[in-house]
């Protein structure tokens, strides 16, 4: 992963493969919620901040390192996916807010990774933001 620092590029190394993979899945789910709340930048910012904390807890609960959520693969991707109008997951949330049916959204977008990922979350009630997004998708 390339990161710029003082005009230089360096490689950020993270050996927590499980954490990296979980961050990649979770950010897609959170982006659906961010899209749903996209009319308010304050709500999206709050969602991202709380989602970051929830991600750390989720990682620790599932045998990964919570600190992996602080890497670019965690927080960086979370911010990008939760604020990008080109993200399919973010777009899904926006369309749900407008009252569109999930089936139609999936038909149009073809792939919305967060919809599939949320089905794999165990004990979802332990994670309030994930639980709320699951409710949006019902």
């Amino acid at each position: 992963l390339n990161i710029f620092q003082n005009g230089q590029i360096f490689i950020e190394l993270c050996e927590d493969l499980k954490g990296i993979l979980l961050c990649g899945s979770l950010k897609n789910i959170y982006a659906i919620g961010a899209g749903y709340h996209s009319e308010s930048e304050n709500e999206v910012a709050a969602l991202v901040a709380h989602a970051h904390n929830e991600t750390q807890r989720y990682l620790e609960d599932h045998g990964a390192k919570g600190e992996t959520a602080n890497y670019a693969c965690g927080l960086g991707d979370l911010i990008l996916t939760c604020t990008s109008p080109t993200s399919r997951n973010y777009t899904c949330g926006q369309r749900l807010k407008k009252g569109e049916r999930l089936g139609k959204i999936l038909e149009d977008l073809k792939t919305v990774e967060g919809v599939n990922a949320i089905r794999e979350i165990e004990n979802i009630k332990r994670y309030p933001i994930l639980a709320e997004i699951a409710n949006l998708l019902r």
Side-chain angles (χ1 to χ4, degrees):
L1 180 58
N2 293 330
I3 303 292
F4 292 93
Q5 183 178 28
N6 299 324
Q8 301 293 316
I9 298 176
F10 71 95
I11 304 283
E12 181 181 54
L13 299 176
C14 179
E15 295 180 6
D16 181 19
L17 181 58
K18 185 172 189 175
I20 293 167
L21 295 172
L22 288 172
C23 285
S25 294
L26 293 170
K27 57 116 175 169
N28 290 320
I29 300 169
Y30 293 125
I32 294 170
Y36 190 85
H37 293 286
S38 63
E39 292 175 13
S40 169
E41 291 176 355
N42 289 337
E43 285 185 30
V44 172
L47 183 143
V48 169
H50 291 289
H52 177 254
N53 290 332
E54 194 170 273
T55 297
Q56 288 177 309
R57 194 160 42 86
Y58 190 91
L59 295 180
E60 291 167 357
D61 290 350
H62 291 84
K65 296 177 182 176
E67 67 220 34
T68 300
N70 297 326
Y71 283 79
C73 65
L75 184 57
D77 280 349
L78 179 66
I79 292 169
L80 178 65
T81 307
C82 287
T83 60
S84 175
T86 62
S87 160
R88 292 181 297 268
N89 295 283
Y90 183 86
T91 300
C92 175
Q94 287 182 314
R95 291 177 65 176
L96 287 170
K97 178 73 171 193
K98 292 177 184 174
E100 291 187 49
R101 297 176 55 93
L102 182 59
K104 173 66 171 146
I105 296 167
L106 294 175
E107 182 181 311
D108 291 348
L109 297 176
K110 307 295 185 230
T111 302
V112 181
E113 300 90 337
V115 172
N116 294 324
I118 201 150
R119 295 179 184 137
E120 302 300 320
I121 303 293
E122 298 173 0
N123 301 317
I124 199 160
K125 290 182 181 183
R126 271 188 54 70
Y127 312 99
I129 301 170
L130 293 174
E132 184 59 34
I133 295 167
N135 286 334
L136 289 176
L137 294 171
R138 289 190 184 113

